[in-house]
Amino acid sequence: MRAVDIIAAKRDGKELSQDEIAFLIGGYVAGEIPDYQVSAWAMAVFFRGMSPAETAALTTVMLKSGAVMDLVGIPGPLVDKHSTGGVGDKTSLILAPLVAGLGIRDPMMSGRALGHTGGTLDKLEAIPGYRTNLSSAEFREILARDGFAMTGQTKETVPADRLLYALRDVTGTVESIPLITASILSKKAAEGAGALVLDVKYGSGAFMKESVDGEKLARSLVNTGTAMGMRITALLTDMNEPLGNMVGNFLEVEECFDCLEGKGPADLMEVTLELAARMAVLGGKAADAVEGRRLCEAALASGKPRELFLANIKSQGGNPEQFLEMRGKYRSPYRAEIKAAEEGFISRIDAWQIGHAGVGLGVGRNRTTDPVSPTAGLQFHRKGGDAVKKNEPVMTVWAKDEASLAAALPQLAAAVEYSKTPPVKRTLILKEITS
Ligand code: URA
């Protein structure tokens, strides 16, 4: 077999066999097939797509490139959630302790900020001392005790995705449905949860800009996951505006804790509770999503998820008392306000522009090796649908330094869109996609 023939076959729209895919990906991971050939293949996949059988084969080959987390013996049910990525998208940090409060265990293996989207690990590491590089023994122990554990991908888990994702990121091949499907599901299958709720985002701040493409991605994920033996359901949710009122690393952790104390913003709570309700169903705790949501609301009201969140901070190396003390104060000194440029209504705050400006502020990174700032970010005082008077504060901004603050302000101001009449209310959750 030769890599060039596999690339040419995909270029010409032919279906690749599992053996051909295994040859290419296996050779890449072994260092025998160079970046430039895999880049050419990824671009061919981007334009030609993959059949369901090819997507499943790619996912399986990627999964087999590394180790699978051993969760045998951890009392279940084990259910995880994954988002395809967005701005202010912090539901994982609320969901994990919330469903743990129902007796579900969530083994969460998360990623870092890349491009304009935030990363769960960067947010958690904004808590001083919090470790996201758990050994598998620590992961198992914390998962069994706290009901959830949060860790990063290790060197051993899905090395094919680590290599391929970094290559796609610099070759314009991230936004491919089969490549995203294989990337997400290989990692989720390696994590060993078996049951998965997906938050598939569409809109300006998501990889899929249109809802039809978001739906195609959701169907690809659900169908491929089901074919691999996972129990899986997906919600298609709007990412045209950032979720919640905070964007930033410590800021988002703080907002999640507000949610666990019953003080979360309505949009964030809505998406979180609907995802949690599906996790309750997959975990066998509820007959349907309506009952699941009721159970989740009752768990929140009991205060148990809040206590589990604080217990997890301690288990992963942080100090819960210090965290509580830092709330509302742990902010960069480089601060400014964006004021309303017009009178009337905010029709939308554009998620893409906020995400991109956020990278400049220090919330995210352009390259995997760039550091992020724990204290940079944004707080919205108004969002889409709110009435506003000229010069009223729309957002407070914190940057990693003076120069980044000055550079980001024009883009942040441009992210705010106005209308003279109340805008049409956005539908946050468009539909559920099941097998
Ligand atoms: N998230 C992933 O893990 N992989 C992708 O390809 C896109 C989003």
Side-chain angles (χ1 to χ4, degrees):
M1 235 180 260
R2 295 190 318 157
V4 63
D5 299 327
I6 298 172
I7 298 165
K10 190 37 61 188
R11 178 201 64 199
D12 297 340
K14 303 215 172 81
E15 188 178 44
L16 301 179
S17 68
Q18 173 140 356
D19 284 351
E20 286 171 318
I21 294 171
F23 175 83
L24 192 85
I25 300 299
Y28 185 42
V29 174
E32 289 154 8
I33 297 181
D35 275 356
Y36 54 80
Q37 284 194 302
V38 180
S39 307
W41 169 81
M43 191 56 85
V45 172
F46 182 93
F47 282 113
R48 290 296 193 171
M50 279 185 146
S51 69
E54 283 178 296
T55 308
L58 177 62
T59 311
T60 307
V61 163
M62 285 172 65
L63 168 65
K64 288 187 178 162
S65 72
V68 174
M69 192 96 77
D70 175 16
L71 298 181
V72 175
I74 303 278
L78 295 164
V79 185
D80 193 16
K81 166 262 168 186
H82 186 83
S83 162
T84 54
V87 181
D89 179 14
K90 54 190 82 73
T91 60
S92 294
L93 302 190
I94 315 164
L95 281 164
L98 175 50
V99 299
L102 299 181
I104 291 171
R105 284 195 165 70
D106 187 349
M108 200 165 268
M109 203 162 74
S110 304
R112 295 195 177 276
L114 201 60
H116 67 281
T117 64
T120 302
L121 299 182
D122 294 312
K123 294 172 199 176
L124 288 165
E125 285 174 4
I127 304 170
Y130 196 101
R131 286 178 47 230
T132 60
N133 58 347
L134 303 178
S135 68
S136 50
E138 286 173 316
F139 187 74
R140 284 177 59 94
E141 186 191 318
I142 296 170
L143 177 62
R145 187 178 57 236
D146 299 347
F148 69 101
M150 320 282 258
T151 197
Q153 223 178 313
T154 65
K155 276 205 183 70
E156 292 79 36
T157 37
V158 202
D161 182 63
R162 232 186 7 266
L163 290 170
L164 207 50
Y165 195 91
L167 192 72
R168 287 167 56 211
D169 196 44
V170 292
T171 55
T173 51
V174 168
E175 297 90 345
S176 151
I177 288 176
L179 296 181
I180 296 177
T181 301
S183 166
I184 291 178
L185 289 182
S186 58
K187 284 178 287 197
K188 290 289 135 181
E191 182 188 88
L196 179 64
V197 175
L198 290 164
D199 183 2
V200 179
K201 305 233 169 259
Y202 71 90
S204 72
F207 289 122
M208 298 291 134
K209 304 297 174 204
E210 302 299 330
S211 63
V212 283
D213 295 321
E215 185 167 347
K216 280 186 204 152
L217 174 59
R219 290 202 186 282
S220 170
L221 284 159
V222 168
N223 293 341
T224 308
T226 305
M228 292 177 70
M230 299 172 97
R231 289 182 306 119
I232 187 163
T233 188
L235 292 185
L236 187 59
T237 69
D238 183 295
M239 185 30 78
N240 283 297
E241 220 184 31
L243 197 55
N245 293 338
M246 308 278 213
V247 174
N249 291 310
F250 191 78
L251 284 160
E252 290 192 40
V253 179
E254 207 176 287
E255 186 167 52
C256 291
F257 198 72
D258 288 345
C259 293
L260 295 174
E261 292 194 324
K263 296 180 288 198
D267 61 342
L268 178 56
M269 286 314 300
E270 180 62 19
V271 175
T272 302
L273 283 167
E274 288 300 311
L275 291 166
R278 269 74 188 179
M279 292 176 82
V281 173
L282 286 186
K285 301 288 176 189
D288 56 30
V290 175
E291 189 192 355
R293 180 157 175 154
R294 203 171 36 73
L295 291 177
C296 292
E297 283 169 343
L300 267 184
S302 77
K304 193 169 174 193
R306 177 190 187 276
E307 297 317 306
L308 289 170
F309 186 90
L310 293 175
N312 173 265
I313 290 183
K314 185 149 188 239
S315 297
Q316 300 210 199
N319 176 337
E321 285 78 36
Q322 185 193 19
F323 167 74
L324 291 172
E325 262 299 300
M326 290 164 77
R327 294 169 74 195
K329 298 184 212 150
Y330 193 38
R331 308 281 191 269
S332 164
Y334 306 102
R335 177 183 185 279
E337 267 187 356
I338 300 280
K339 300 212 163 106
E342 293 179 28
E343 175 123 7
F345 293 86
I346 307 266
S347 52
R348 178 172 78 126
I349 297 186
D350 178 36
W352 189 87
Q353 301 234 48
I354 294 291
H356 271 267
V359 174
L361 292 173
V363 173
R365 54 170 66 80
N366 286 313
R367 278 165 306 177
T368 38
T369 46
D370 290 347
V372 296
S373 158
T375 56
L378 307 147
Q379 178 170 9
F380 302 110
H381 307 297
R382 297 277 190 290
K383 287 198 61 192
D386 290 342
V388 72
K389 292 203 167 58
K390 193 164 176 178
N391 287 329
E392 271 183 350
V394 176
M395 58 182 116
T396 303
V397 186
W398 294 271
K400 63 182 174 192
D401 54 39
E402 198 72 58
S404 321
L405 186 63
L409 290 178
Q411 188 171 20
L412 291 168
V416 187
E417 298 168 8
Y418 301 87
S419 60
K420 291 286 170 223
T421 53
V424 177
K425 203 169 163 12
R426 285 186 308 139
T427 306
L428 270 179
I429 299 171
L430 201 61
K431 57 171 76 170
E432 180 169 9
I433 287 130
T434 61
S435 56

